[in-house]
Amino acid sequence: MAKLSVGIIGCGPMGQSLAKGCTALQQVEIKAASDVNQELLDQFCSQFAAKGYADYREMIDSAGLDAAIVASPPFLHREMVEALADAGVHVFCEKPMAPTVADCDAMIEVCDNKDVKLMIGQVCRYHAIHSKVKDAVASGDFGKPLCMIVRRLGGGFGGIWRKEWRTKRAMSGGNLMEINAHEIDFMRWVCGEVARVGAVGVAHPDSKNDYPDAVVVTMHFRDGAIGSLHSSSISPISAYGGRVDCEGGSLHFPSIWGEGSGIHIKREDETSFIAASEIKVETPVTHELRVFFDSILSDETPPVTGKDGRAAVEIAQAAYLSIEEKRLVELPLR
Ligand SMILES: NC(=O)c1ccc[n+]([C@@H]2O[C@H](COP(=O)([O-])OP(=O)(O)OC[C@H]3O[C@@H](n4cnc5c(N)ncnc54)[C@H](O)[C@@H]3O)[C@@H](O)[C@H]2O)c1
């Protein structure tokens, strides 16, 4: 079978993780990579046997790519996706899709017009607990979801998280997009489309960010459920977990990762616990890439579309608007 030729734009930690994911797949070959950081690019190209380009447009013009992975900071996603789609190259773009809904709309339009696949890297759909909770609710065994709570808290992000672009909402989308695109996507995936968003936020006095560091978002889902997301980068006692209470039972996942993580289940008189370690999943990054490349080969719509990436951005943008204007914000945003 001829392999798909793949290029990677952005050779930072996420570009490297995605490149490793590609090496586990038979159907692709990493042909080229681009980064403005020459040292990083050289290192990446020698590790993955790729041809390096300082200018991603030159890579698009001369590398003969079938598909590309965009793993640059979010404010660059739009121009890169537009250039790739214009050249007829299928695109896997990291989350958040872009920092604004307007950018997402432009990206969807160009990919539709040029008939290229666009998948957004909402990788939590392939994580053990996220996917098990989704499957359980979708099975109907618990009845309709009524209330979903998710919290993702951390005590400030050091190291790679201190990059300048992450401190600016126009560049990263703020934590609600850059980090919580995952949780927002998870909540929408489980409970459906969101009708209305409310939020409150607070900044730490020493914050370097130009957006709130801790936010509580409420979501009113179109099908009647309610949701709450607690996002924080000022919580030295970190936490990542939540629960879904349905008409006929509850799924409680106090911690999604790490020792003891799993899902407590109560339905009618039955209680059970599924340890995360018992839920067998493919390495999530490899899984998301595999289904993206398969969608190209079978000419099908990728499982996580531009519409999905856009929806997470829209909910986060509505939450920031709610904080700024101290009101509930109706979706769709106008
Ligand atoms: N799925 C996940 O769980 C996950 C985790 C981390 C990051 N991400 C996402 O992946 C993306 C990248 O994150 P990161 O942590 O690797 O960021 P990063 O800033 O460490 O790396 C981005 C790379 O892009 C390069 N770059 C910047 N401008 C460029 C240009 N014009 N042409 C080519 N390369 C350019 C930078 O030099 C840098 O090496 C972001 O969208 C981020 O939100 C996703």
Side-chain angles (χ1 to χ4, degrees), residues 9-15 34-37 40 54 56 70-74 76-77 79-80 94-96 121 123 160-161 163 165-166 178 182 288:
I9 306 179
C11 301
M14 201 58 216
S34 173
D35 203 295
V36 289
N37 178 334
L40 198 59
Y56 75 87
V70 174
S72 57
L76 295 170
H77 291 179
E79 63 166 66
M80 291 171 172
E94 256 312 319
K95 54 44 63 181
V123 71
I160 61 163
W161 302 104
K163 290 215 162 175
W165 64 261
R166 284 197 160 92
E178 214 274 310
H182 290 305
E288 64 176 351

Side-chain angles (χ1 to χ4, degrees), residues 101-251:
V101 169
D103 287 342
C104 297
D105 285 338
M107 293 157 77
I108 292 169
E109 189 180 346
V110 67
C111 291
D112 283 350
N113 288 344
K114 296 289 175 173
D115 203 17
V116 301
K117 312 286 180 205
L118 172 63
M119 176 156 162
I120 308 302
Q122 300 289 171
V123 71
C124 284
R125 293 195 183 203
Y126 304 100
H127 277 275
I129 292 196
H130 298 80
S131 56
K132 195 77 181 174
V133 167
K134 162 68 184 177
D135 287 350
V137 174
S139 73
D141 292 349
F142 293 81
K144 272 177 61 173
L146 296 176
C147 180
M148 181 165 185
I149 310 282
V150 177
R151 69 191 68 82
R152 184 166 182 177
L153 320 175
F157 297 102
I160 61 163
W161 302 104
R162 276 274 54 93
K163 290 215 162 175
E164 172 76 7
W165 64 261
R166 284 197 160 92
T167 66
K168 310 263 182 274
R169 210 182 120 198
M171 298 175 96
S172 67
N175 279 348
L176 284 183
M177 293 190 198
E178 214 274 310
I179 312 274
N180 305 119
H182 290 305
E183 290 66 53
I184 292 172
D185 178 67
F186 177 38
M187 294 173 77
R188 171 180 171 265
W189 193 38
V190 171
C191 294
E193 298 300 340
V194 172
R196 193 171 311 107
V197 176
V200 286
V202 70
H204 190 280
D206 299 332
S207 180
K208 303 262 186 310
N209 298 326
D210 70 1
Y211 51 82
D213 302 292
V215 177
V216 177
V217 182
T218 56
M219 295 173 208
H220 303 223
F221 295 92
R222 272 193 213 155
D223 284 350
I226 55 170
S228 162
L229 168 68
H230 179 185
S231 155
S232 170
S233 56
I234 53 167
S235 304
I237 300 176
S238 61
Y240 188 10
R243 61 186 298 135
V244 189
D245 295 323
C246 304
E247 286 172 342
S250 282
L251 298 132

Side-chain angles (χ1 to χ4, degrees), residues 256-274:
I256 276 180
W257 290 322
E259 209 174 312
S261 58
I263 310 172
H264 298 269
I265 295 174
K266 175 128 176 107
R267 189 163 62 95
E268 293 167 359
D269 290 336
E270 293 168 34
T271 56
S272 56
F273 176 72
I274 307 175

Side-chain angles (χ1 to χ4, degrees), residues 80-96:
M80 291 171 172
V81 170
E82 286 178 337
L84 289 160
D86 265 335
V89 177
H90 301 290
V91 192
F92 178 96
C93 177
E94 256 312 319
K95 54 44 63 181

